[in-house]
Structures are given as structure tokens and as C-alpha cells.
Amino acid sequence: MHHFHYKEDNLYCENVPVSQVAFEVGTPFYLYSHATLRQHFRALDDAFDSIKHLTCFSVKANSNIAILRLFAREGGGMDIVSGGELYRVLKAGVVPNKIVYSGVGKQTEDIEYALQSDILMFNVESPLEILKLNEISGKLSKKARVAIRVNPDVDPETHPYISTGLKENKFGIDIDDALEQYIVAANLENLEISGISCHIGSQLTQVSPFVDSLEKLNGLIGTLEANGINIKYLDLGGGLGIIYDKETPPHPREYAAAIKRGLPSKELTLILEPGRVIMGNGGILVTKVLYTKPAGEKTFFIVDAAMNDLMRPCLYDSYHMIQPVRKSGRETVKADIVGPICESGDFFAKGREIESCRQDELLAIMSAGAYGFSMASNYNSRPRACEVLVKGDRFYTIRQRETFKDLVNGEIIPDFLEKE
Ligand code: LLP
């Protein structure tokens, strides 16, 4: 369920006409629905109500501090992967003891920052990282709480670029080597074993891979206990998929039921790291048609958003539904909906059946709340779009559109290139 719907042929976000926002802030822009985001967060979080759990929103899916604040106010924690994300999360007012930190390439300064901030747990991903974390903690007279992120070698059956839990992927420590590394970590002075974690991939549309990896983790937890290593947190990562087109992902209730059935003990606190399932259908990207151009059998709709704003179609060939902001009732045509960037990869849809549209009309690229703005760039020196949050019948700009001045911020012409 989301709150983007038509009233008399006009697309609304909650009680706000999308065209009104476009009129006020210009295009392109990201538009998020507060009610949708809160509902999605609660749907997942409430599904685990009967057990001890912490829902850590995956910041990489959408890192705007207003969005992070929204989830923090719902009692959510955060899953971060960099010092930059930690900075955002703290700025959003998230309490440190609800922050978990994953990532295969954590840097010294970022580790220091996270230790100083006293975060809940580091999900470590390699033997060398274990040693490095111990060394840095020692230097700072801290004790780092760690979970080993294990790679359970389970096929998530998703796009290869977003699959992470197979042996061939760079993530985590092979589950067969995990015991050895736990023993190493347990004997290091500045580490405290706190949990076990895994994340097998994103946009999963079945529960079985989650259940399979949970089973493998259970086996390891048993072995650890037999070796005198007890853990408090079981972090299952994120990955639950959403409907972009015709997918049939499990409802969070089904996902939760399957996981609860597979949990080894009531003593453990379950950590979840959902991103897409909360954000994906809570946001859209609104763009204006700049030009229409006939090309034989098809038409090009050249719009003012581009691959720098939403990379997913060009990067993963992923599908996003595209809808007119005002339905015209005109006949449908077969169109390529493309951006202005000088690359053939700059498209949002190819050969899409869509109501014919005209210059200056608005289109909504749906399901763009997750991995939309957070992956945006300035390629072709395009200022990044603004982000707007709707609540009821009001809307709030939560990130201003970048200016040309922002584009050159930090750039320096060295003296030897001074104008003559
Ligand atoms: N935890 C970890 C350790 C992760 O690496 C990820 C996503 C998540 C949680 C959240 O996964 P989610 O619940 O959103 O599936 N850019 C790609 C998705 C990359 C996901 C990377 N890791 C896309 O646009 O589809």
C-alpha cells in the first residue's frame, strides 16, 4: 500500500497534487510520502513485535536526514556503511546504541569515529579487519562490540549486481572459516563478541533464501556455544523485495513469520536492516517532458531527469513504472523515455506502452524512494534534484535543488594556472 493515487485523473501524493509541487519547486524532484514511509516501517517492525528485535534502517537506500529522523522517531536504529553515513545518522538524532556498521572496506578514520561514537556493533567482514579493529580500539582505550558477517553461500536469486551472499561475492567471511575467526576475535583484548550477521542480497522475492541462511547461521551459533562463545545479536541484514512491476514478494508478515519460526533462541535480539522494502514505494521521481521526437515505429520522450538522478534503469536494467501526472486519455504509444545525458544508457524505459504525452507535461517515475537520490551524481554537471516530503495536505522541501555554485564547491584552480 502506498499513498500515490489518482483523483480525477490527477496524481496525488497523500492530499497534495503532484503538479502543485512541480509548480512550486520545479522539476525534476523526488517526492516522498510520510504516511507511506511510516506505514512501511511499522508493517515490518510490528511484524516482529512478539520477539526482541531492532529494526535498523539501511541508510544507503535513502540517506536524507529528514527521512532518517522519521524512522528514528519510530524507534528505528540504523545500518551504516561509512563515516559519512554515521555523520548523517547522528545529525538525524539517532542514538548510537542503535547503530550497526557493515562494509568490506572500513577505513581507519571511520572506525575511529564509530568507536568514539560508541555504536552498537561492528559487522566485520575479514580476518584483517578483526585485527585492525582490535588495534584501533586498543589505541582509543575502547572495547569494540563485534559481529562477524558470515557469507552463508546461499543463492538469493536476484540480480547478480545486488547478490551478496554467495561464496564468489566479496562480502563477509566464509561460514566454514567463521569459527576460527570467532576464536581469534574472542581472544583479542579490545574486542567483545556481540553478534553474528549476514546479508545475502537485495530485492529478494521469496522467503526461502532467508530461511536457508538462517538455518546455516543457527548451525554456527550452536558450534560457537559449544566453544564457549555466546552471542546476543543475530543480524539478518536486509533484502526483502518490493513490487516494481509484476513481482510477488512476501508480505513483511510472512517474512517475519518464517524468520520467527527459524530463530534458535528467545534470548537473542534479532536485528533487521531493511532499506528498499520501507523506502522503495514511498517515493517517486517527477520529471517534465522536454521534447517528443518520433523515430520510426517508436517515439522518444526526452525528459528533464536523467541517469544521474536515478541510475537503476541504466545500471541494472531495472523496471520502474512510469505514469502521467495528469492522465490525458490520449492513445498509448510505444516510447523510449530518456534523459538529456550524452549516453545511450541514459534511459528510464525502452519500448514502453504509455499514454502519448506532449511537451511540458509531467511524468512520475514510480518506486524511486530507495536507491534513487542516494545514488545520484552530478554527471554532465547537472545539479542534483531537490527532495520533497509530503505529510497530509502539506509538503516540505527536505533538500534543496543544487545550484551551479554547488557544482564547483571545493574545486580550486592552482596558482600556476592563474589568468594571464
Ligand atoms: N544490509 C546490508 C549489509 C546491505 O549491503 C544492504 C544493501 C542492506 C542491508 C539493505 O538491503 P535492502 O533491504 O535495501 O535490499 N543499489 C541497488 C541495491 C544495492 C543494495 C546494497 N546493499 C539497487 O538499486 O537495487
Side-chain angles (χ1 to χ4, degrees):
M1 248 300 277
H2 60 69
H3 295 265
F4 296 96
H5 53 87
Y6 285 97
K7 266 189 223 169
E8 288 165 7
D9 293 338
N10 288 302
L11 186 64
Y12 276 67
C13 174
E14 301 188 21
N15 299 323
V16 176
V18 172
S19 55
Q20 187 194 335
V21 185
F23 181 75
E24 306 256 347
V25 308
T27 52
F29 62 95
Y30 276 93
L31 188 64
Y32 309 111
S33 151
H34 177 266
T36 309
L37 297 177
R38 196 171 60 179
Q39 184 179 313
H40 287 178
F41 183 90
R42 289 182 180 174
L44 189 89
D45 195 49
D46 293 354
F48 289 94
D49 255 359
S50 58
I51 59 165
K52 282 197 283 185
H53 73 283
L54 179 62
T55 303
C56 291
F57 175 67
S58 191
V59 175
K60 63 178 84 63
N62 190 305
S63 41
N64 185 294
I65 56 173
I67 300 288
L68 303 179
R69 170 72 61 87
L70 193 169
F71 298 133
R73 281 180 52 145
E74 291 293 308
M78 299 286 156
D79 151 46
I80 59 163
V81 291
S82 67
E85 286 192 350
L86 177 56
Y87 179 78
R88 286 178 170 281
V89 160
L90 295 174
K91 210 150 181 83
V94 178
V95 286
N97 70 0
K98 289 187 178 178
I99 300 172
V100 294
Y101 183 4
S102 308
V104 286
K106 300 187 190 74
Q107 298 177 30
T108 305
E109 302 74 41
D110 291 353
I111 294 175
E112 284 170 357
Y113 181 26
L115 280 167
Q116 301 284 22
S117 308
D118 214 14
I119 65 162
L120 178 64
M121 193 163 87
F122 290 81
N123 293 341
V124 296
E125 307 215 19
S126 63
L128 279 182
E129 188 191 335
I130 295 175
L131 301 180
K132 181 160 180 166
L133 183 57
N134 179 60
E135 185 193 315
I136 301 175
S137 311
K139 242 186 268 163
L140 300 179
S141 309
K142 296 266 179 192
K143 218 166 167 99
R145 288 174 287 273
V146 298
I148 290 188
R149 173 168 173 183
V150 300
N151 183 330
D153 195 25
V154 165
D155 187 356
E157 291 167 33
T158 183
H159 190 288
Y161 282 14
I162 52 178
S163 144
T164 49
L166 280 170
K167 248 191 169 73
E168 69 202 48
N169 300 131
K170 68 181 175 184
F171 300 96
I173 290 179
D174 192 321
I175 192 153
D176 297 329
D177 304 331
L179 173 63
E180 190 186 327
Q181 291 307 319
Y182 267 105
I183 293 172
V184 170
N187 286 309
L188 291 171
E189 211 174 318
N190 311 309
L191 302 184
E192 178 188 320
I193 305 287
S194 186
I196 184 167
S197 84
C198 83
H199 168 80
I200 54 173
S202 198
Q203 184 53 13
L204 271 69
T205 51
Q206 294 167 33
V207 284
S208 50
F210 292 112
V211 173
D212 292 350
S213 46
L214 181 55
E215 241 168 57
K216 291 199 171 184
L217 259 52
N218 283 345
L220 178 58
I221 292 171
T223 315
L224 291 176
E225 276 169 5
N227 283 272
I229 299 172
N230 293 304
I231 61 164
K232 291 193 216 121
Y233 297 98
L234 169 54
D235 181 346
L236 262 193
L240 191 56
I242 61 166
I243 302 175
Y244 284 101
D245 183 15
K246 297 190 177 70
E247 300 87 345
T248 52
H251 188 274
R253 264 193 314 273
E254 269 173 75
Y255 163 76
I259 288 172
K260 284 192 280 189
R261 268 196 301 276
L263 280 182
S265 124
K266 287 226 154 35
E267 297 312 307
L268 287 175
T269 298
L270 180 70
I271 294 180
L272 302 151
E273 301 176 353
R276 187 187 321 262
V277 69
I278 293 176
M279 265 325 293
N281 280 319
I284 63 176
L285 173 61
V286 182
T287 183
K288 186 173 76 180
V289 177
L290 295 173
Y291 302 101
T292 63
K293 182 159 84 170
E297 294 284 279
K298 67 179 181 191
T299 306
F300 285 110
F301 292 156
I302 302 160
V303 298
D304 65 358
M307 64 190 263
N308 73 299
D309 298 299
L310 177 67
M311 265 191 105
R312 303 193 70 258
C314 112
L315 195 56
Y316 315 114
D317 205 16
S318 49
Y319 178 95
H320 285 262
M321 194 184 287
I322 301 180
Q323 297 182 337
V325 167
R326 186 186 164 77
K327 283 187 191 164
S328 64
R330 287 180 215 124
E331 279 188 5
T332 62
V333 291
K334 199 171 251 189
D336 280 11
I337 298 158
V338 301
I341 283 182
C342 313
E343 300 225 15
S344 299
D346 182 24
F347 65 88
F348 294 113
K350 283 189 170 165
R352 184 72 60 87
E353 286 286 337
I354 183 168
E355 213 174 60
S356 177
C357 41
R358 298 189 180 150
Q359 205 167 26
D360 293 335
E361 288 180 348
L362 300 171
L363 291 174
I365 303 174
M366 307 304 287
S367 313
Y371 307 108
F373 189 91
S374 64
M375 292 172 70
S377 76
N378 289 121
Y379 187 40
N380 273 210
S381 283
R382 291 168 48 86
R384 281 180 299 172
C386 60
E387 294 177 283
V388 178
L389 177 66
V390 169
K391 183 171 188 294
D393 51 16
R394 299 192 59 178
F395 65 90
Y396 306 82
T397 296
I398 57 171
R399 189 182 214 276
Q400 288 172 348
R401 186 180 303 288
E402 284 179 338
T403 62
F404 288 161
K405 196 155 167 256
D406 292 329
L407 289 179
V408 293
N409 187 24
E411 294 180 21
I412 296 164
I413 299 176
D415 286 351
F416 75 91
L417 289 176
E418 278 298 280
K419 268 195 208 151
E420 279 171 7

